[in-house]
Amino acid sequence: MKPVDVIRSRTVVMADPNVDTDQIIPARFLTTTSRDGLGQHLFADHRFEAAGGPRGDFVLNRPEAAGCQVLIAGDNFGCGSSREHAPWALLDFGIRVVISTAIADIFRSNALRNGLLAIVVEPEAHRRLLATPGAEICVDLRAGTVSLPDGGEARFEIERFARHCLLEGVDPLGYLLGKEAEIHAYEENSPWTQ
Amino acid sequence: MTTPLTTSTGRTLFDKIWDRHVVVPETEDAPAVLYVDLHLVHEVTSPQAFDVLRRRGLEVRQPDRTLATIDHSIPTAVSSWKNGLVDMDVAARNQVRKLATNCGRTGIRLYGVNNSRRGIVHVIGPELGATRPGMTIVCGDSHTTTHGAFGALAFGIGTSEVAHVLATQCLLQRKPKTLAVQVDGRLHEGVTAKDLILAVIGQIGVGGGTGHVIEFRGSAIEHLSMDARMTVCNMAIEAGARAGMVAPDDVTFEYLAGRCMAPRGAAWDRAVEDWRSLSGDPGARCDACVRIDASALEPQVTWGTDPGMVAAVTGRVPTSGASPRALEYMGFSAGEPLQGRPVDVVFVGSCTNSRISDLRQAASVVSGRRVAAGVRMLVVPGSQETKRQAEAEGLDRIFAEAGAEWHESGCSLCIAMNGDRAKAGQTVVSTSNRNFEGRQGAGARTLLASPLTAAASAITGTLADPRPLLHQARRIA
């Protein structure tokens, strides 16, 4: 995983609450055995007509969305299924940050493991971000700040271990493998391990 | 601030199971390393995880703590099967083959295409007795919460974490908070566990459980069968919860006794003694609590595009506050009565409601009646074992005589990635767990309901309250 530190980008806004992972990538695209190339299916049923043509009214299809790396999302983004294909698809499409007032647990964990910043900010900061689509903002992971469109900044917290892994580009599997002695001792000494 | 005179040191069911599985305690800098007793694997969320191990030259640490099956992408229509061979699309077939190769290479037990114990992963785990109280259980599937019905800590993980568990049998986890859902009173006839959990989600919302493990408690929960408790815990994720749990009791032990992976003899006695100690201590406190009166509940049905958009089947779409987008997608108007909505497809199945008691309930409504003209009803047992049991009881004939389709086991129309799908604009009354846009096919409209309500709607041809049909059935009998 590449280290993540500072991301500067224009924003794209999707204000609907409870956007579930079936919207982010429908299940019919999950028969893949790869994690690559899923960006083409991102929000497939919203981006494309049944016949295959693009839906011009969908926010990600508008010309001004091109190149935006920050998605300002509604409350409880990423609820539903545990499919890691959701952050894979977002990243492959070019989205590197999702900012909301709440993010579903499994999606957030999956996102952070892949270098997609899933950030929760206070409702007032969120409201200002929602109100200014296309704003150029700066997300600084080390400082824990998001610059707001009309000046000022919002603070965000990311779980410390995940933050460390993101900043250093470290894979948490390596950390777990390093606990071999403790895991072995646990397996030897736990009478209730069924 | 005054110091409380007594401090609660009691531990909840969740605390006890968590504490037992901590390999390395959490600190400010790092989450806990948590041991996993049972890792369930299926074809859709595992191939990329096995690739990680192969790329890094890692072995599966505990193949004996891992159990695999195929369920999501396997066709269930009888017409897809001939002489033990199944007709499926190239990508799905490749995925199924890949799981077989990965399991063969690593020594993981696979309940594969032609295995007689194959089924939906959250149905076969309990059925085999692989799911037991006090365990930590994970799977690359959000409905892993189902197994919490046994007093296990069970939750869904992503594919990166599937790789973590394959390689180390552990996960990095911050300890979640706890939410007690206290359900007192008794469910009336015709009102089921599905109606109960839909009502809970309606009350706390689809994000109401985020960051929490739900402990379901109270007299109404204690009176539920294991199948019904699984239905309740299955949908804890639909409230955003990390897991759902019920304290193990005699109902749990009776279900498990004699199952093929359950302990036997003296080992069984020791296990039961230990499992009895898992219930929360008196005075143990959860971080939050909500109360539900089961006696006040009616059959529930969703009218919108998330499981929190729910009302009594005898009720109406809300007159105000309903999401306009959801109403438009579903083809409902604000304030419209729910009963009477024409139905195209009825689906009885999924990890929520495909167990033997669910099939019996649906059959009790359908028995001696005909599915309404123009309605397609699919009945999809959760496992091949459940299918055999239902056939031994003659349930398949009841469904066939009513004009319903009887299928092989699998996830089927819950996820619509296996050939079973609804068409755009069709209304599906479904016993599954998600009414998201497009979940059962692009443009398809899902109304989540109990097996009783689904069956009654199939007979009536419109969304229907099952209770009048239950009473009629009794009079005929």
Side-chain angles (χ1 to χ4, degrees):
Chain A
M1 194 169 76
K2 282 192 198 134
V4 179
D5 193 348
V6 176
I7 296 168
R8 284 189 183 80
S9 165
R10 280 176 300 113
T11 62
V12 59
V13 170
M14 203 179 282
D16 289 320
N18 305 316
V19 169
D20 58 80
T21 53
D22 277 87
Q23 307 316 307
I24 299 172
I25 181 165
R28 63 182 183 276
F29 301 114
L30 305 188
T31 51
T32 178
T33 57
S34 162
R35 48 166 291 174
D36 300 325
L38 294 175
Q40 60 181 313
H41 306 308
L42 181 73
F43 289 109
D45 290 337
H46 300 266
R47 274 167 66 208
F48 305 110
E49 305 284 359
R55 286 168 55 163
D57 58 337
F58 185 62
V59 62
L60 291 181
N61 286 340
R62 290 190 202 130
E64 61 269 25
C68 289
Q69 298 177 37
V70 179
L71 174 65
I72 311 298
D75 194 55
N76 196 31
F77 186 80
C79 60
S81 137
S82 65
R83 61 191 70 165
E84 201 158 315
H85 309 69
W88 292 338
L90 284 160
L91 283 163
D92 189 50
F93 188 81
I95 302 293
R96 298 175 66 200
V97 184
V98 176
I99 303 179
S100 181
T101 38
I103 292 177
D105 287 334
I106 306 178
F107 176 83
R108 192 193 55 223
S109 163
N110 286 340
L112 296 176
R113 299 240 187 273
N114 287 278
L116 174 68
L117 283 185
I119 291 175
V120 170
V121 295
E122 291 296 319
E124 174 54 23
H126 187 247
R127 194 192 56 73
R128 287 158 71 181
L129 289 163
L130 281 181
T132 325
E136 180 85 27
I137 67 164
C138 176
V139 179
D140 186 333
L141 176 60
R142 202 172 294 275
T145 56
V146 176
S147 68
L148 295 174
D150 45 1
E153 58 186 28
R155 295 204 58 81
F156 66 87
E157 299 274 343
I158 281 203
E159 190 275 317
R160 276 176 75 153
F161 183 78
R163 178 178 175 274
H164 163 78
C165 291
L166 288 162
L167 285 169
E168 306 300 324
V170 171
D171 176 2
L173 177 54
Y175 175 87
L176 270 175
L177 290 166
K179 299 296 178 190
E180 168 58 30
E182 288 88 341
I183 298 169
H184 182 74
Y186 178 88
E187 285 174 334
E188 293 296 305
N189 299 319
S190 296
W192 43 72
T193 304
Q194 300 183 44
Chain B
M1 212 174 99
T2 54
T3 311
L5 290 174
T6 56
T7 314
S8 166
T9 53
R11 293 183 302 158
T12 63
L13 165 67
F14 163 71
D15 290 331
K16 291 182 183 184
I17 299 176
W18 175 274
D19 291 349
R20 282 182 172 197
H21 291 88
V22 172
V23 175
V24 181
E26 75 181 296
T27 65
E28 214 171 283
D29 288 331
V33 175
L34 196 71
Y35 198 76
V36 172
D37 290 322
L38 175 65
H39 185 195
L40 302 168
V41 170
H42 65 78
E43 75 278 22
V44 175
T45 56
S46 66
Q48 299 89 345
F50 282 105
D51 284 348
V52 168
L53 267 67
R54 204 157 33 246
R55 247 192 342 264
R56 298 181 60 145
L58 298 167
E59 304 275 312
V60 173
R61 182 183 179 88
Q62 293 280 8
D64 292 347
R65 292 188 175 280
T66 316
L67 190 156
T69 192
I70 48 159
D71 51 9
H72 284 64
S73 58
I74 193 86
T76 69
V78 173
S79 59
S80 300
W81 290 79
K82 220 166 244 168
N83 303 323
L85 295 173
V86 61
D87 180 24
M88 55 199 300
D89 86 63
V90 176
R93 180 179 298 281
N94 177 44
Q95 201 170 52
V96 167
R97 281 196 183 133
K98 198 136 190 174
L99 181 63
T101 309
N102 283 327
C103 289
R105 197 179 279 159
T106 56
I108 292 171
R109 191 188 311 197
L110 170 66
Y111 294 85
V113 177
N114 295 113
N115 191 297
S116 66
R117 305 302 299 266
R118 169 175 72 76
I120 304 175
V121 67
H122 309 309
V123 174
I124 69 168
E127 210 169 65
L128 292 164
T131 298
R132 298 189 292 273
M135 284 180 141
T136 44
I137 301 174
V138 301
C139 175
D141 191 290
S142 60
H143 292 110
T144 308
T145 56
T146 311
H147 307 264
F150 289 79
L153 173 59
F155 53 90
I157 56 177
T159 297
S160 294
E161 291 182 319
V162 171
H164 294 180
V165 181
L166 288 173
T168 69
Q169 206 57 31
C170 290
L171 276 175
L172 288 162
Q173 292 286 304
R174 292 281 178 194
K175 190 175 179 184
K177 293 180 179 160
T178 47
L179 166 64
V181 172
Q182 176 82 26
V183 191
D184 295 313
R186 287 287 283 276
L187 293 171
H188 290 297
E189 190 193 8
V191 185
T192 69
K194 180 62 162 288
D195 304 301
L196 166 58
I197 188 63
L198 284 172
V200 169
I201 299 163
Q203 183 167 328
I204 70 176
V206 290
T210 303
H212 290 75
V213 167
I214 297 179
E215 287 197 16
F216 294 98
R217 306 164 168 180
S219 57
I221 301 293
E222 287 160 20
H223 280 103
L224 295 178
S225 69
M226 285 316 297
D227 285 3
R229 292 179 190 181
M230 284 188 256
T231 300
V232 170
C233 289
N234 172 275
M235 289 189 72
I237 180 67
E238 307 313 331
R242 204 71 187 88
M245 306 176 86
V246 175
D249 59 13
D250 287 337
V251 177
T252 321
F253 310 145
E254 198 177 304
Y255 176 99
L256 282 172
R259 303 258 165 196
C260 75
M261 291 185 188
R264 289 174 194 281
W268 169 261
D269 296 337
R270 280 197 305 278
V272 171
E273 194 188 334
D274 176 52
W275 295 342
R276 284 192 197 283
S277 73
L278 290 170
S279 294
D281 298 326
R285 278 201 296 250
C286 286
D287 297 291
C289 181
V290 296
R291 289 176 181 278
I292 304 263
D293 178 9
S295 318
L297 292 180
E298 291 195 79
Q300 304 283 306
V301 66
T302 62
W303 51 264
T305 52
D306 75 45
M309 298 176 180
V310 64
V313 70
T314 53
R316 292 166 180 270
V317 176
T319 46
S320 63
S323 149
R325 183 193 172 95
L327 291 180
E328 191 194 340
Y329 182 86
M330 294 300 294
F332 272 126
S333 318
E336 187 179 339
L338 290 163
Q339 282 190 93
R341 162 76 177 237
V343 169
D344 302 294
V345 180
V346 168
F347 172 56
V348 175
S350 87
C351 58
T352 314
N353 278 127
S354 65
R355 297 178 182 82
I356 192 67
S357 54
D358 302 312
L359 304 183
R360 286 176 190 147
Q361 284 180 13
S364 75
V365 172
V366 163
S367 181
R369 299 189 168 109
R370 290 286 303 172
V371 172
V375 175
R376 179 184 179 207
M377 181 181 189
L378 298 80
V379 185
V380 185
S383 69
Q384 295 305 96
E385 177 67 20
T386 303
K387 180 169 183 264
R388 280 190 297 277
Q389 172 72 29
E391 288 172 353
E393 296 179 18
L395 304 185
D396 59 323
R397 287 197 306 279
I398 292 173
F399 291 122
E401 281 163 16
E405 300 172 19
W406 178 246
H407 283 226
E408 298 290 322
S409 68
C411 296
S412 183
L413 193 54
C414 175
I415 191 150
M417 60 178 292
N418 43 50
D420 296 332
R421 84 173 71 83
K423 298 187 185 97
Q426 285 190 320
T427 295
V428 188
V429 178
S430 178
T431 67
S432 55
N433 39 57
R434 289 189 171 136
N435 52 344
F436 298 152
E437 285 183 30
R439 172 80 178 188
Q440 299 193 292
R445 297 151 160 177
T446 303
L447 310 182
L448 299 177
S450 74
L452 290 176
T453 302
S457 303
I459 298 302
T460 314
T462 58
L463 182 65
D465 183 343
R467 291 171 294 183
L469 291 187
L470 293 176
H471 297 146
Q472 264 176 39
R474 181 170 304 150
R475 274 204 300 277
I476 294 163

